[in-house]
Amino acid sequence: MRKTPSGLDEPAGRAGKWLGPAAGAPERHASAVVADRFDQLTWRDTYEQSAGLRELAEELNARYACATDLLTDVFLAAYKAAPRLRGRAEMDPARLVSHEIVTALVESPEFAELHRETAGDPYAAAMAVLAQAPALRRMLERFRDAQERAEQAKKAQQAADRAATVVGEALQLTADAADAADASDASDKDGTAPPPADENGTAAERAEAAAQQAAQGAAQALAALAPGIRATARNAVAKAAGTVREEAALMRAWGVGSGELERMPFDRRARLAERLRTGRLAQWAELIGRFRQMASGERARKVENAAGELVGVTLGDDLSRVIPSELANLGLPETRAVFAARYAAGELMLYDSQGEQTTGQGAIIACVDTSHSMYEAGPGGVTREAWAKACALALLDQARHARRDFIGILFSAADKIQIHRFPADPAHPPHPADGPAGIARTLDFAEAFLGGGTSYQRPLTAAADLLEEEYDNAARTRGDIVMLTDDECDVTEEWMRGWNDAKHRLGFRVFGVAIGAPRAAEAGSVLEALCDNLRSIEDFTDVHAAADLFRVI
């Protein structure tokens, strides 16, 4: 067995204190959140697409060496379905500050609420990072001294590791020289004595002691500040949860589902969110959301072909409402011919009922007044325009649900009109220019405002022409027109005759909503003469005033 030369016994034994652990030292990590390569790829893709993340990283990197790793950890903690943090012993000493900050964020009671909104959604996770940016700045500043000490501790440990390596190399050289010949003969051969392992060992011991002292100082500085950041972390997470939740609610209010958001490219989603936050009707998103929720509830209450309330007996051929005495005729062979004859003539005695039934088959057309007076605010600060647009967007949902075309007609004076078409089947629109009812086209319809006076004839003529076009192309009748206005204006007798002829020929219904204009809904008004069903809206915060529309349309 090879023996250590007697002169090396003492330095080798001293060197073993640090040489042994160094050989099997655990890997140290810069990232506090355990992540696989797919998580890292998601972070890099999101970082490249988000100008906000890049600007934040550039700002923080100018002052803090750990900034990029910290932002990565905050993102991954929000994004991963089940984030797991590394232990302190696994961390690179220079990243213990990042570990402490991320731990405070993840362990805050509010994190679960945030995580429900961000898990699996890179965009929402990036939003969470940006929402927490002010708090991250404050926490990094508070930990500045601890971070500097941690970096010094890392440098001291690196110096100790280098000193240990020198000791190892010196021992190896000395051992090699002893194997070749005795120490004095080896010195004579090359004229150079082996490195003094004892002196190197002493230097390594000093370096190790300095590293331990630096690490202890960094740990003490970190421990002293850690309790103070808990409140900051809680507030940061709560703010981020609120920000992400508000944007999700805003998207839902405008009818953008989570599935559509997941398929939407990052930059497009960011532009959409900005448009929704800053658009002219952004402040009324809550009203739009309530309208849509109400309409959805009314759809659930509808029963197709419901008998309704029994009010008497009538004649017809609806076998589902035949009275028992008529059915008795089917039981006798000699009266069956009588039953058949009465059925063919539509003279069977039926239960007569009164109830709401859905009869529309053609397009749903919302004619929305956008004259100057519609900009006027009512109770609760809601404008007439906002109420009308919210109602129209709920009608758009109604049409989608029933697989009917929807057409939004914005009008004011006779020379001002816009037509926005949303076909039920985007693959086969009536016109090539009509695409799917995407959120961008919906916003174009919602945000447009024409101004000027009010003319009934122009929008209603356009609506009737569109229903006639639908009849010619698809043989569909029984469309529905909803007139949303706050004004009363005259129509000519000749036009009125043509209007009534079109209603009779195409079988469409007209619903009128007088918004903040009770006189327009009075008996004998022009609007009353034009509409089959008319109501007046005075409280612009009340979405249920039009609830029955969504049961009969």
Side-chain angles (χ1 to χ4, degrees), residues 187-466:
S187 298
D188 292 339
K189 288 180 180 180
D190 58 12
T192 304
D198 188 42
E199 293 180 10
N200 288 327
T202 301
E205 285 182 334
R206 288 197 298 268
E208 180 65 20
Q212 291 177 353
Q213 184 177 3
Q216 185 177 7
Q220 290 173 347
L222 195 61
L225 292 171
I229 69 166
R230 301 299 179 188
T232 303
R234 290 190 62 177
N235 291 336
V237 173
K239 178 182 178 182
T243 299
V244 176
R245 189 172 54 249
E246 287 171 9
E247 180 161 309
L250 186 64
M251 293 291 183
R252 285 193 297 270
W254 283 96
V256 186
S258 57
E260 184 178 355
L261 288 177
E262 291 174 3
R263 295 189 299 271
M264 195 176 294
F266 188 97
D267 55 346
R268 181 182 168 196
R269 184 170 171 181
R271 290 194 301 271
L272 172 60
E274 181 66 17
R275 184 176 181 184
L276 291 180
R277 283 193 297 265
T278 59
R280 196 165 55 83
L281 293 181
Q283 57 184 316
W284 309 125
E286 189 270 339
L287 174 69
I288 294 169
R290 287 195 294 119
F291 242 110
R292 283 186 146 135
Q293 185 176 14
M294 176 274 293
S296 177
E298 294 303 320
R299 280 197 297 273
R301 292 177 55 189
K302 288 199 302 184
V303 179
E304 300 294 334
N305 302 315
E309 179 185 359
L310 180 64
V311 295
V313 176
T314 186
L315 299 180
D317 59 1
D318 186 350
L319 296 178
S320 67
R321 294 190 289 136
V322 175
I323 67 175
S325 62
E326 288 278 26
L327 288 174
N329 291 328
L330 287 175
L332 300 173
E334 60 270 21
T335 58
R336 288 175 185 170
V338 176
F339 181 92
R342 289 167 60 83
Y343 173 71
E347 295 179 350
L348 292 174
M349 287 190 292
L350 314 174
Y351 284 122
D352 193 12
S353 61
Q354 178 177 321
E356 294 168 336
Q357 299 184 20
T358 300
T359 60
Q361 291 182 342
I364 298 176
I365 301 180
C367 297
V368 182
D369 187 350
T370 58
S371 59
H372 283 312
S373 56
M374 288 290 286
Y375 203 69
E376 181 180 334
V382 181
T383 64
R384 300 175 180 187
E385 178 207 11
W387 194 97
K389 295 284 182 63
C391 184
L393 291 174
L395 288 169
L396 170 57
D397 288 346
Q398 192 84 346
R400 287 172 174 168
H401 184 268
R403 297 182 180 178
R404 299 168 65 183
D405 291 348
F406 176 83
I407 302 171
I409 298 179
L410 305 178
F411 70 94
S412 57
D415 61 338
K416 293 184 178 181
I417 188 171
Q418 282 188 11
I419 297 176
H420 299 256
R421 305 177 65 139
F422 300 88
D425 183 3
H428 301 91
H431 297 284
D434 296 330
I439 182 61
R441 295 182 62 238
T442 303
L443 286 176
D444 290 340
F445 166 64
E447 291 182 325
F449 189 83
L450 304 180
T454 305
S455 169
Y456 285 174
Q457 292 186 190
R458 180 77 185 280
L460 290 176
T461 297
D465 289 344
L466 289 165

Side-chain angles (χ1 to χ4, degrees), residues 124-144:
M127 277 187 60
V129 175
L130 295 174
Q132 294 174 94
L136 294 177
R137 292 187 187 96
R138 291 195 297 272
M139 288 188 283
L140 284 171
E141 186 59 33
R142 290 187 63 182
F143 277 119
R144 176 184 284 275

